Amino acid sequence: MSNEVGKIIWISGPVVRARGSRNVGMLELVEVGAERLVGEVIGLNGDQMTVQVYEETAGMQPGAPIYGTGLPLSVELGPGLLQSIYDGVQRPLPLIEQAEGSFITRGARFDSISREKKWSFTPKANVGDAVKGGAVLGVVMETDTFEHRVMVHPDDAGTLTWIASSGEYTINDIVAKIKIGKEEKPVTMLQRWPVRRARPFVGRRGANVPLITGQRILDTFFPVAKGGAAGIPGPFGSGKTVTQHSIAKWADADIIVYIGCGERGNEMTEVLQEFPHLVDPRSNRPLMERTVLIANTSNMPVAAREASIYTGITIAEYYRDMGYHVALMADSTSRWAEALREVSGRLEEMPAEEGYPAYLAGRLAEFYERAGFVDNLNGTQGSVSIVGAVSPPGGDFSEPVTQHTKRYIRCFWALDKSLASARHFPAINWLDSYSEYIEDVSGWWREKVGKDWLEMRNKAMELLSEEARLSQIVKLVGPDALPYTERMILETSRLIREGILQQNATDAVDAYSSIEKQIRLLEMVLYFHERGMAVVRRGAPINLIHDLPVVDTIIRAKSSVTNEEIHKLDDIQKAIDEQMSQLDAEYR
Amino acid sequence: MSDVTVLGGQEVVGVGRIEGPIMVVEGASNVSYDEVVEIEDSRGDLRRGRVLEVGEGFAVVQVFAGSTGLSIDGTRVRFLGNTLHMPVAEEMLGRIFDGLGNPIDGGPEPLTDVYRDVNGQPINPTARIYPRDYIQTGISTIDGVNTLLRGQKLPLFSGAGMPHDQLAAQIVRQATLGKVAGAPHTEGEEFAIVFAAMGVKNDVADYFRRSFTESGALTRVAMFLNLADDPPVERIVTPRAALTLAEYLAYDLGKHVLVVLTDMTNYGEALRQISNVRGEVPSRKGYPGYLYSDLASLYERTGRIRTSQGSITQIPILTMPNDDMTHPMPDLTGYITEGQIVLGRELYYAGIYPPVTVLPSLSRLMKDGIGKGRTRDDHPRWGAQLYAGYAKTQDIRALASVIGEEELSEVDQQYLKFGRAFEREFVNQAFTENRTIERTLEIGWKLLSMLPKGELTRVTLDEISQYYKGDDATS
Ligand SMILES: Nc1ncnc2c1ncn2[C@@H]1O[C@H](COP(=O)(O)OP(=O)(O)OP(=O)(O)O)[C@@H](O)[C@H]1O
Ligand SMILES: [Mg+2]
């Protein structure tokens, strides 16, 4: 139980100062005021402590008590996390709604995971086993298809002295006992973990399996590896959220953790209403069943926004530890950085750039370092991939959050205002973006689709950068000044842009492209280019190529050919053949 | 929500320091953070303020009406024991209030015992209903390509001297519940309107009042006016007061409420002023680091909730300093709202009304409120096509300015014609013209028919055969 450790002497928004015990720990979770609002100690100086409060402080007075808990800010981990929606400090929003109505009032306290729900536990370890942190003691089906592995707490190791037989248990029931030293420790399915501490693993592995997202510009052109980190910066309205939603829907991860960090309420509602009705193509179950949502919207308390990122990543690591692939989306890391800045400002700390505290870069590094493809303590392998949205003021990428983020990610998906206003979606600029995972994942592609993805991808990129150069010339002197071979490059590049790079997230067919479809589309466009080049070299005028009926068919193929009927692309290829051969014959 | 204001509390005579609209009061105990204070000057006149920071034996107080005339010894400060609350009632529709919510139309105080905290509380995301019902504004550039939905926040980004007030007035006058194209006309449900003016000139407020009167809407409008010559700090409260009433009307009484906030740029300036006086570390252009969170605490008070029939739709108006969209006010607004309608100088000088620049404008929620069963099946693709066509026109215009129009290919020339017609026939409409969604779609198809069919890759072939009216014979 908590006891009083001090009294408030100063209040400014989410930050309070108190005087009292010298035994309060840095980053200790405390309860503030008679309403016992949740807070965290972020500074100590003699008998004074500085606390950031995760709830609204209006109405609070100096003199009010602060209670210590002796524990750091932690999350609850166990079966029942999936399909949940929490605020930034893991309070279950549906229960708050049930109890308090449509508006979030303060002081509401609920268990993060249901204590009543029974889970059907199957033991997987035997009495007498030497078990260490991460060891799997048993499993429960958290959803119809998802096996949740009940693990020994990472800090524990000992001998299993008792294990529950198969049966129904709540997360508070003892399901095992472990002898640690002289003591026998009861184990339940519920673990607590301090959010600011990364969960341990044995070692990192190379990240050479791509996280397949079904988004062509990502998978085909700028892939992120499982266990990798990607940043998606862009001005407002350029497509950060839509892209993150698309990845959350279609990525081939086992678990999705989606953090709405200081963004819109309606966007979270959209996920809540949509995901239960969308089917995960891999498990055939509603997408919601593999998803955990953290929603700390822009108008919710700013300190809890700061915590939301850590709450999310800790949950992600927990599932990774079981041997799963987890993808985490954080929308937007800039709002998280601003929360840091807001609290820092109230503390009157010396600012570094643009008012941000000097420790901004360090915090960003800590966060992105928690991504990784790892060997777990229990011998399994798992990964946490991070996709962080960045919202630079005025769309200016030279600002501190974008710049520091770039240091810790290896995949940069640069959204571009002018593409967005031309309604070229996803508005990811192919010349400004990069992925450092390309070489790493090329082996996977070769094995998986048996075609040289890397070569085709590079060929397409080459055409696109040629296009950029040629467009400059066209802008100055018009297209007619270019030789047909160069205009052929422009024709093909248009096909790449409109037929491959553009992908409509709201179109039922186009929203998700299987990798087979992606590679076939690319192959087809490059084939078109090769044939077209041959024909124009022979002197056929470029407008004949431009006007070929098959051009329109190619551009429409992304949404007219479903993932299940890729063979129809063969017909299009045949049409290319016929129409090109005809031109070929005419100009032979 | 608490329904009472606790009056009374302690009184302190004399203050320690006064700087701009901020004063430091010493010797007070039991003061709460964010508490309301009543300040009495040496002549006995009253003004109000709010506690911004509280420590042992001192409180930093922001004085809404500013500190002019306050003296160190002659000022009395009464701490009222609660955060700022205001009365809310249906009968406030048809009335005019000052920026703090006091009646200024000569009428009585609203008779009610329902008081609400002007700061409101965040809507639980699980309690929201995602907006899906479109509002027909009768304006093609909105209904057609930037559709507004009930429960959406969609600002007007404008610049000094442009007709944003007219456009807002036209939206308010014409807005009705959207209906499916082709369905028989039904009387639209009427919106309640909450209008908040922050630092605008008197004639702007007057313009709106006249416009509400002329359209017979006045009885459905509550106006909160903080005008250019009113105390700037009061502006911090004005939108909060307006939204507090809006929430009551929408979520307690089930009304559909349209909130117009103008001019948010003045609001931001007031915030900046207070922040500077307090010596806070600024972020961009002197604005405080919490500008985003502060704006979000206003704009997020929009939407629909499951326990009520009502809705709040917001149309904030911003005049962009220097027409610069990267200025912190429009920038951070754009990061919070669900799109933006941008007015442009070029169109304005060309005599186009409303001068909505379609390319940078966007309604994020549009996709969920249009199409089959909502407006018309082809609407989403039609919109994308019109948009793409107009975007291409811009590129071709740039090219034409270099090589000359005659040098353009035939197709490019058709685009130029399309672009001109788009501005004159689609964007341009009379202040009094209220177009149905069918009419808007029809004009759009007429324009698209000026282009060869092969250019129309965003619409389906079926749609082309149904709606295309051009003489392009190719298929
Ligand atoms: N892949 C896509 N397909 C179709 N439309 C898209 C796509 N990406 C973006 N859009 C359009 O762009 C709009 C803005 O996208 P989004 O909301 O993701 O922007 P954002 O970058 O998250 O902006 P903010 O920073 O303000 O949150 C969407 O509402 C949608 O209309
Ligand atoms: Mg977004």
Side-chain angles (χ1 to χ4, degrees):
Chain A
M1 238 1 258
S2 49
N3 58 312
E4 189 175 319
V5 292
K7 290 210 185 300
I8 297 180
I9 55 171
W10 178 81
I11 307 165
S12 172
V15 181
V16 307
R17 282 215 176 87
R19 190 181 298 124
S21 161
R22 288 167 175 268
N23 293 326
V24 178
M26 190 65 183
L27 298 186
E28 178 173 333
L29 189 72
V30 291
E31 294 171 348
V32 182
E35 288 170 284
R36 291 184 177 252
L37 307 184
V38 191
E40 187 183 17
V41 177
I42 55 171
L44 290 169
N45 183 5
D47 64 352
Q48 288 198 14
M49 63 193 98
T50 306
V51 174
Q52 66 173 350
V53 187
Y54 293 124
E55 297 174 74
E56 182 53 55
T57 53
M60 192 162 280
Q61 297 187 348
I66 303 249
Y67 304 94
T69 64
L71 300 168
L73 176 67
S74 300
V75 287
E76 293 191 347
L77 302 167
L81 286 169
L82 294 183
Q83 313 188 57
S84 294
I85 173 163
Y86 296 116
D87 77 354
V89 287
Q90 213 198 5
R91 281 182 300 192
L93 291 171
L95 294 188
I96 295 183
E97 186 194 351
Q98 259 173 39
E100 322 264 333
S102 305
F103 296 86
I104 301 178
T105 52
R106 63 186 182 187
R109 303 294 284 280
F110 297 95
D111 294 324
S112 300
I113 310 180
S114 165
R115 299 298 193 265
E116 280 89 50
K117 185 161 169 61
K118 294 208 161 181
W119 301 96
S120 166
F121 175 84
T122 311
K124 291 284 177 192
N126 300 310
V127 171
D129 286 357
V131 289
K132 41 187 184 86
V136 177
L137 298 172
V139 298
V140 303
M141 293 309 288
E142 189 169 353
T143 67
D144 283 357
T145 51
F146 186 82
E147 184 183 272
H148 187 111
R149 297 170 188 149
V150 179
M151 300 173 292
V152 176
H153 191 280
D155 292 342
D156 291 342
T159 312
L160 192 64
T161 52
W162 180 81
I163 184 127
S165 49
S166 294
E168 305 271 307
Y169 301 92
T170 70
I171 59 166
N172 269 342
D173 293 334
I174 295 167
V175 291
K177 289 177 187 164
I178 300 175
K179 190 151 185 222
I180 304 173
K182 288 203 165 51
E183 273 173 53
E184 191 168 65
K185 184 172 176 178
V187 178
T188 66
M189 292 191 271
L190 175 67
Q191 275 188 23
R192 285 199 177 74
W193 190 264
V195 295
R196 297 190 195 273
R197 193 175 140 211
R199 284 174 65 92
F201 49 81
V202 174
R204 289 179 189 273
R205 321 188 115 236
N208 47 29
V209 180
L211 179 76
I212 297 301
T213 64
Q215 309 305 300
R216 293 184 293 268
I217 185 153
L218 306 185
D219 298 347
T220 303
F221 288 89
F222 304 105
V224 62
K226 287 202 170 82
I232 175 161
F236 66 78
S238 56
K240 296 179 290 295
T241 303
V242 172
T243 307
Q244 299 230 35
H245 281 192
S246 294
I247 299 175
K249 284 176 196 166
W250 309 119
D252 66 341
D254 301 305
I255 298 292
I256 300 290
V257 177
Y258 193 99
I259 311 169
C261 173
E263 291 289 316
R264 303 172 182 83
N266 274 337
E267 288 172 351
M268 297 314 292
T269 311
E270 182 181 13
V271 174
L272 276 176
Q273 298 189 352
E274 201 179 11
F275 277 34
H277 303 289
L278 288 173
V279 174
D280 177 359
R282 301 182 318 138
S283 68
N284 250 329
R285 302 288 310 165
L287 276 175
M288 199 60 203
E289 290 190 357
R290 65 164 194 178
T291 308
V292 183
L293 296 174
I294 316 280
N296 211 97
T297 57
S298 54
N299 54 343
M300 283 160 73
V302 70
R305 188 199 296 172
E306 193 270 336
S308 65
I309 291 276
Y310 298 99
T311 298
I313 191 91
T314 308
I315 293 172
E317 287 172 339
Y318 174 67
Y319 282 102
R320 173 205 67 193
D321 289 349
M322 295 177 205
Y324 290 112
H325 296 292
V326 186
L328 176 139
M329 256 55 67
D331 186 12
S332 158
T333 61
S334 292
R335 305 305 165 213
W336 167 77
E338 284 171 6
L340 277 186
R341 175 168 74 183
E342 209 168 315
V343 171
S344 164
R346 304 264 185 184
L347 297 175
E348 295 179 3
E349 292 174 334
M350 258 315 262
E353 309 138 277
E354 298 197 9
Y356 287 105
Y359 46 80
L360 171 68
R363 296 284 169 87
L364 279 167
E366 273 166 31
F367 170 59
Y368 283 108
E369 278 303 294
R370 289 174 79 169
F373 197 127
V374 303
D375 284 316
N376 287 317
L377 299 178
N378 54 21
T380 59
Q381 291 167 13
S383 69
V384 172
S385 315
I386 297 182
V387 179
V390 185
S391 317
D396 171 8
F397 288 0
S398 69
E399 60 90 39
V401 181
T402 316
Q403 281 308 311
H404 291 305
T405 300
K406 266 183 130 165
R407 295 160 57 191
Y408 311 116
I409 56 174
R410 291 181 61 205
C411 196
F412 189 73
W413 298 326
L415 288 165
D416 184 324
K417 182 105 224 164
S418 56
L419 287 176
S421 17
R423 298 292 201 263
H424 171 111
F425 289 124
I428 296 173
N429 184 308
W430 49 94
L431 299 174
D432 296 342
S433 302
Y434 60 81
S435 163
E436 293 173 12
Y437 298 106
I438 291 171
E439 296 288 335
D440 303 348
V441 301
S442 61
W444 180 92
W445 275 92
R446 204 171 302 118
E447 224 170 82
K448 190 79 183 172
V449 292
K451 287 176 184 153
D452 204 336
W453 159 73
L454 188 57
E455 196 179 304
M456 286 194 269
R457 182 237 173 235
N458 288 347
K459 175 77 195 160
M461 280 304 291
E462 204 180 295
L463 288 169
L464 289 168
S465 58
E466 264 300 281
E467 181 198 33
R469 189 181 66 83
L470 296 173
S471 312
Q472 291 304 321
I473 302 176
V474 172
K475 269 201 193 112
L476 292 176
V477 294
D480 291 344
L482 296 181
Y484 287 159
T485 47
E486 293 191 333
R487 292 189 61 184
M488 185 63 213
I489 294 178
L490 295 182
E491 290 299 329
T492 310
S493 298
R494 180 171 79 101
L495 290 187
I496 299 176
R497 282 187 286 109
E498 295 184 13
I500 297 179
L501 298 182
Q502 285 186 9
Q503 187 166 0
N504 185 350
T506 60
D507 181 283
V509 174
D510 199 22
Y512 171 80
S513 250
S514 69
I515 50 162
E516 290 78 14
K517 179 169 163 186
Q518 295 189 31
I519 199 108
R520 279 293 287 128
L521 283 174
L522 182 60
E523 207 171 25
M524 198 169 75
V525 170
L526 292 178
Y527 181 69
F528 176 88
H529 182 67
E530 195 186 309
R531 296 291 313 260
M533 271 307 217
V535 174
V536 294
R537 281 213 182 90
R538 250 182 231 120
I542 191 71
N543 59 316
L544 292 187
I545 300 221
H546 179 92
D547 293 341
L548 287 179
V550 77
V551 168
D552 193 39
T553 320
I554 295 175
I555 290 177
R556 288 175 190 273
K558 59 186 182 181
S559 49
S560 66
V561 178
T562 67
N563 291 308
E564 289 72 37
E565 36 176 39
I566 315 175
H567 59 270
K568 289 198 177 157
L569 293 177
D570 298 344
D571 301 341
I572 302 180
Q573 180 128 0
K574 242 180 254 147
I576 297 176
D577 245 345
E578 285 163 16
Q579 295 175 22
M580 288 287 187
S581 300
Q582 203 175 343
L583 282 183
D584 216 23
E586 277 170 44
Y587 286 87
R588 194 161 275 278
Chain B
M1 287 192 188
S2 157
D3 287 344
V4 282
T5 335
V6 183
L7 284 173
Q10 57 174 325
E11 179 173 297
V12 174
V13 183
V15 298
R17 190 156 58 87
I18 302 177
E19 200 182 337
I22 305 288
M23 69 190 189
V24 180
V25 184
E26 285 157 2
S29 54
N30 295 331
V31 174
S32 315
Y33 175 68
D34 208 23
E35 181 172 351
V36 193
V37 299
E38 188 172 74
I39 300 144
E40 189 178 331
D41 65 20
S42 44
R43 296 205 316 250
D45 288 341
L46 299 178
R47 50 190 108 180
R48 286 199 154 196
R50 184 171 82 95
V51 174
L52 290 182
E53 178 182 331
V54 54
E56 277 179 313
F58 77 93
V60 179
V61 171
Q62 161 192 316
V63 187
F64 296 139
S67 56
T68 313
L70 293 182
S71 66
I72 296 285
D73 289 337
T75 302
R76 289 164 179 269
V77 182
R78 274 183 291 278
F79 292 87
L80 300 184
N82 207 340
T83 52
L84 188 58
H85 281 57
M86 64 176 267
V88 287
E90 185 169 12
E91 65 190 51
M92 289 170 77
L93 289 174
R95 303 283 313 270
I96 303 177
F97 306 90
D98 70 8
L100 294 177
N102 307 302
I104 49 168
D105 54 1
E109 287 279 342
L111 194 64
T112 174
D113 49 12
V114 185
Y115 281 72
R116 292 281 157 86
D117 187 333
V118 297
N119 291 317
Q121 283 164 327
I123 299 178
N124 190 329
T126 61
R128 284 184 183 269
I129 300 181
Y130 193 73
R132 292 196 188 277
D133 304 323
Y134 92 100
I135 296 173
Q136 182 172 300
T137 66
I139 297 161
S140 292
T141 41
I142 298 179
D143 298 350
V145 286
N146 292 293
T147 320
L148 173 66
L149 306 193
R150 280 201 268 172
Q152 182 172 14
K153 38 195 180 293
L154 190 64
L156 301 185
F157 285 3
S158 183
M162 284 199 279
H164 41 266
D165 294 332
Q166 284 86 320
L167 180 55
Q170 187 175 6
I171 295 172
V172 167
R173 171 161 43 84
Q174 297 181 172
T176 51
L177 171 60
K179 61 182 186 61
V180 179
H185 180 77
T186 46
E187 273 309 308
E189 257 177 274
E190 289 192 326
F191 285 88
I193 295 144
V194 175
F195 175 85
M198 278 99 39
V200 298
K201 290 220 260 339
N202 191 40
D203 38 336
V204 172
D206 244 19
Y207 171 80
F208 277 101
R209 190 169 10 198
R210 255 184 294 119
S211 150
F212 296 146
T213 313
E214 279 159 21
S215 63
L218 203 58
T219 54
R220 291 184 277 124
V221 185
M223 297 181 87
F224 291 81
L225 305 180
N226 166 284
L227 301 179
D229 51 359
D230 287 332
V233 181
E234 234 177 71
R235 264 161 232 172
I236 309 288
V237 179
T238 310
R240 294 185 164 81
L243 288 163
T244 303
L245 176 62
E247 281 174 346
Y248 175 74
L249 296 173
Y251 304 140
D252 288 57
L253 304 185
K255 291 181 185 297
H256 294 293
V257 186
L258 205 57
V259 179
V260 177
L261 306 172
T262 185
D263 176 337
M264 287 304 292
T265 303
N266 297 333
Y267 171 87
E269 267 162 25
L271 209 62
R272 174 165 68 178
Q273 186 195 344
I274 293 164
S275 172
N276 293 357
V277 171
R278 297 192 66 201
E280 292 171 340
V281 180
S283 57
R284 290 213 159 183
K285 294 212 159 124
Y287 287 90
Y290 49 79
L291 181 60
Y292 175 85
S293 300
D294 186 279
L295 290 176
S297 76
L298 302 176
Y299 297 143
E300 276 291 313
R301 292 172 80 173
T302 310
R304 304 190 54 189
I305 57 175
R306 283 195 273 140
T307 50
S308 163
Q309 290 296 312
S311 64
I312 297 181
T313 307
Q314 268 195 45
I315 305 182
I317 300 174
L318 286 89
T319 49
M320 300 182 280
N322 267 327
D323 293 354
D324 174 10
M325 223 198 289
T326 66
H327 179 280
M329 281 304 294
D331 188 47
L332 293 183
T333 297
Y335 270 123
I336 302 164
T337 53
E338 286 139 348
Q340 66 280 336
I341 303 288
V342 184
L343 304 192
R345 287 273 164 214
E346 256 178 63
L347 290 177
Y348 175 58
Y349 289 144
I352 306 268
Y353 173 87
V356 173
T357 346
V358 170
L359 297 188
S361 299
L362 170 71
S363 162
R364 314 256 182 122
L365 303 185
M366 168 170 172
K367 62 181 191 309
D368 303 295
I370 63 168
K372 198 170 180 177
R374 300 191 175 274
T375 51
R376 202 172 73 187
D377 196 12
D378 57 318
H379 188 167
R381 290 169 299 280
W382 166 97
Q385 187 64 66
L386 264 184
Y387 198 95
Y390 189 58
K392 184 149 184 191
T393 304
Q394 302 300 325
D395 292 343
I396 295 169
R397 281 179 178 169
L399 180 61
S401 70
V402 177
I403 62 170
E405 249 181 65
E406 324 69 57
E407 293 298 314
L408 294 175
S409 69
E410 196 188 325
V411 175
D412 284 358
Q413 301 207 17
Q414 284 171 308
Y415 267 105
L416 285 188
K417 282 198 198 107
F418 161 83
R420 280 191 289 267
F422 180 81
E423 286 160 4
R424 286 199 203 121
E425 295 171 37
F426 187 85
V427 178
N428 195 36
Q429 68 184 86
F431 177 65
T432 48
E433 186 180 356
N434 188 352
R435 291 183 188 157
T436 61
I437 186 68
E438 291 94 331
R439 180 72 190 126
T440 290
L441 290 165
E442 189 185 316
I443 297 173
W445 274 112
K446 188 181 137 211
L447 298 171
L448 291 176
S449 303
M450 298 171 70
L451 298 171
K453 283 181 190 172
E455 293 293 311
L456 308 184
T457 55
R458 310 264 172 146
V459 290
T460 66
L461 299 174
D462 287 347
E463 283 157 0
I464 292 180
S465 57
Q466 189 173 352
Y467 299 111
Y468 187 83
K469 297 192 192 67
D471 46 18
D472 177 16
T474 59
S475 64

